[in-house]
Amino acid sequence: MPAPLSLRWVALTLGCVLLLAIGQVLFKIAAGGWRVEGWSIATLRNFLSAPMLVALAVYAVATFAWVFVLRNVPLGAAYPLFSLAFVVTPLLAHVVLGEPLALRTLAGATIIVVGVIVAVH
């Protein structure tokens, strides 16, 4: 059984989760504005919108932070917390994008949170 994580590593791991959720919302915003005009420079220029570039930068920061966590924490101890991205992302999409939260999404989120609690204790 992995040793319990210190508050520092829990916070950094949850920071990675939040960054991933922010990145996903930005990807969704970028996707909504992307206009495909065949294989053209206009399509590429449109794809590389501000939300897309910010999302890629956020993902880069999240990746570096996650690798830093993994340098110091066993994967088996940190990874259960990472699954909270499946809870945070739909909640953030609801708040920022106005996407609906279905009862089954909330039920699934509850199961994930219970699973994380079981895994880390």
Side-chain angles (χ1 to χ4, degrees):
M1 180 166 174
L5 295 176
S6 70
L7 184 57
R8 172 186 181 191
W9 297 115
V10 169
L12 188 54
T13 303
L14 293 177
C16 291
V17 167
L18 182 59
L19 286 172
L20 288 178
I22 291 168
Q24 286 298 317
V25 169
L26 288 167
F27 282 138
K28 178 68 175 176
I29 292 167
W34 187 28
R35 303 293 171 249
V36 179
E37 301 170 17
W39 290 99
S40 69
I41 295 297
T43 298
L44 179 60
R45 189 177 321 116
N46 192 270
F47 176 74
L48 296 174
S49 65
M52 176 60 76
L53 295 176
V54 173
L56 292 171
V58 167
Y59 257 58
V61 171
T63 300
F64 281 112
W66 179 240
V67 171
F68 183 70
V69 168
L70 294 180
R71 281 188 71 225
N72 297 283
V73 177
L75 183 61
Y79 203 68
L81 289 173
F82 211 68
S83 67
L84 292 173
F86 294 102
V87 175
V88 175
T89 302
L91 293 174
L92 193 60
H94 175 71
V95 170
V96 174
L97 303 173
E99 292 190 359
L101 275 177
L103 184 58
R104 66 177 183 262
T105 301
L106 296 173
T110 302
I111 292 168
I112 290 169
V113 170
V114 169
V116 169
I117 291 168
V118 168
V120 299
H121 277 57

